[in-house]
Amino acid sequence: MNDRTCIVTRKAQPAENLIRFVAGPDGMVVPDLKRNLPGRGCWVTADRALVDKAADKNLFARALKAPAKPPENLGGLVDELLSKAALGALGLARKAGAVALGAAKVEAAVRSGKAFAVLHACEASEDGVRKITAARRAVVHMGGPDMPAYKLFSEPELSLALGATNVIHAAVFGRDAGKAALKRVMALEYFRGDFAQNPEAVATGTAEDVE
């Protein structure tokens, strides 16, 4: 897809770095995460602070050229949708054999180089996280990849998505299903502001606000 311009920052970026919004039949602003809803669309950088700003200033009506009204807590709605998408993808990755569960199996997967990334539940103890972090650092010290770790979901959320009980630590393997799941996880983390934006990755072209 061509670059799109964020209606808040007025900067052009690849479409995958933004979220598309359309006006629903009732005039309410609807997030279009799959970018396939019909009608005129506008784009906001996939950052909750910017989505909240667009809603607060109601920039959607001008961009969509319609009396579009954002729902209350639009940023929270987008967060919920991104979270569900990530958890759903992780569940599929688990069924495809691309996820390992449990501290011991995760640490082994990290040290063997099979892990592509690590997930920690929000309830994870410092000691448990520390041991796996030490394994990740050891891999880097030996010349291996610096695999990322994410702490975005609660234990109940991970347990339900992965079809197990008391899921505190998980490793995701670099198979197709695992990579697809991690793409969703990264999108959620970026939206929540855990990633600092890289100004060099933002184009300054003349992409249109709408399509």
Side-chain angles (χ1 to χ4, degrees), residues 105-160:
K105 290 184 178 180
V106 170
E107 183 176 351
V110 169
R111 292 188 182 278
S112 68
K114 293 181 179 179
F116 201 66
V118 170
L119 302 174
H120 301 296
C122 295
E123 298 87 343
S125 67
E126 291 185 5
D127 185 57
V129 173
R130 188 183 306 112
K131 290 179 180 178
I132 295 173
T133 300
R136 291 169 50 225
R137 290 174 177 169
V139 170
V140 174
H141 182 71
M142 296 297 292
D146 185 6
M147 64 194 69
Y150 303 95
K151 200 172 186 180
L152 299 170
F153 308 108
S154 66
E155 178 272 321
E157 288 176 320
L158 286 175
S159 297
L160 180 62

Side-chain angles (χ1 to χ4, degrees), residues 25-56:
D26 58 355
M28 297 297 289
V29 174
V30 178
D32 179 19
L33 299 188
K34 294 183 179 180
R35 312 184 190 103
N36 60 6
L37 292 179
R40 193 182 195 92
C42 65
W43 301 76
V44 179
T45 302
D47 181 300
R48 176 158 185 172
L50 295 177
V51 170
D52 287 339
K53 185 174 182 179
D56 291 341

